[in-house]
Amino acid sequence: MKQTRQVLSVRLSAIAFALIASQGAFADNDESGGCVGLPSQAQLKAALVSAVAVETSGLDFQMWATVGDGVVCAVAFSGADRGSQWPGSRVISAQKANTANAFSLDGLALSTANLYSAVQPGGSLYGLQHSNPVDTGVAYMGPSASYGTASDPMVGRKIGGVNVFGGGLALYKGASRVVGAVGVSGDTSCADHNIGWRVRNNLKLDHVPAGVSGDPARPDNIVFDITPNPSGGTGISAGGFGHPTCINTSDPNALPAVR
């Protein structure tokens, strides 16, 4: 079954890139005065389908993705319908996009994966995960049949939320200008990060200026530097921005370099 899904994903990937090419430059997706220069729902879906076809780490599941710049600009899923990926991951993807957008600047990108260790008890950002709560009225409004479509009820509204594991990445145009963020959810947090990274690369919005990973070619990449804590409890990140490994974790250095 997994092989059949992968074959289908590859075919959908070819269709996806044809769609991206046919639509040209990103539409000024302007439902609420923002979203300018960010991808349309069709472009986000195409980039997500292609990323899922390539990335097979984690559980190799279908995914949700959200793009936003303070408001939700587009929501998409990669599977055949909205039930093909974890339903709960729709809101998590929006939460991740909000987090990466809220805590990245023109000069420094922070992926949600970079926040994990810093928010643990005793960490430099402990408590951050409890700030900016999700607006549940926005998260669950409207007909479920519209979820993940161009008319998703979250679009044009502020979702809020802070998420502190992999899957959220800031989006950067030329001259390293942050224009929003993408959030991806539906698999292990490590696979979420990898697929989000590939989505951003597919959208060509990865002109990332700097980050905390220590790798100039992948500035806001996930960092696996957590070692066991001899006193028990949460492990210790050598650099302070580490993330735990996951099931079937892949090599983060295998991800495409940023532009």
Side-chain angles (χ1 to χ4, degrees):
M1 183 176 294
K2 178 176 178 180
Q3 184 178 9
T4 300
R5 192 190 74 75
Q6 288 176 333
V7 170
L8 177 60
S9 294
V10 170
R11 291 175 180 171
L12 289 173
S13 174
I15 296 171
F17 270 119
L19 179 59
I20 290 176
S22 69
Q23 291 189 341
F26 295 138
D28 284 348
N29 196 354
D30 198 16
E31 289 87 350
S32 60
C35 304
V36 176
L38 291 177
S40 67
Q41 193 273 343
Q43 289 166 331
L44 175 62
K45 185 176 181 70
L48 178 64
V49 168
S50 176
V52 169
V54 172
E55 183 64 46
T56 59
S57 63
L59 300 169
D60 201 19
F61 281 177
Q62 300 288 353
M63 307 292 290
W64 289 89
T66 298
V67 163
D69 65 353
V71 300
V72 174
C73 300
V75 185
F77 53 77
S78 64
D81 54 51
R82 61 185 173 85
S84 298
Q85 43 284 306
W86 288 335
S89 284
R90 169 179 168 268
V91 174
I92 295 173
S93 72
Q95 185 185 35
K96 290 179 181 180
N98 182 72
T99 305
N101 180 72
F103 298 105
S104 294
L105 300 170
D106 288 350
L108 181 71
L110 283 175
S111 66
T112 55
N114 297 150
L115 296 174
Y116 177 88
S117 288
V119 304
Q120 301 304 317
S124 61
L125 297 177
Y126 177 65
L128 180 70
Q129 68 271 39
H130 304 303
S131 68
N132 301 285
V134 168
D135 186 331
T136 55
V138 171
Y140 306 115
M141 72 182 302
S144 299
S146 297
Y147 290 177
T149 70
S151 58
D152 190 296
M154 287 195 296
V155 172
R157 296 177 172 85
K158 297 178 181 179
I159 183 64
V162 174
N163 187 285
V164 293
F165 54 84
L169 295 149
L171 300 175
Y172 287 84
K173 296 194 79 170
S176 300
R177 182 172 65 87
V178 61
V179 293
V182 62
V184 169
S185 182
D187 206 301
T188 69
S189 54
C190 303
D192 288 358
H193 172 84
N194 293 349
I195 292 173
W197 188 281
R198 294 185 186 281
V199 168
R200 183 174 68 175
N201 177 260
N202 289 341
L203 295 171
K204 297 180 172 60
L205 291 174
D206 58 349
H207 298 266
V208 185
V212 297
S213 75
D215 179 0
R218 300 168 185 82
D220 54 346
N221 203 0
I222 196 167
V223 177
F224 296 127
D225 69 350
I226 297 178
T227 57
N229 186 340
S231 302
T234 305
I236 298 172
S237 168
F241 296 97
H243 188 286
T245 56
C246 309
I247 298 171
N248 191 24
T249 299
S250 62
D251 180 5
N253 295 320
L255 292 172
V258 300
R259 287 176 170 79

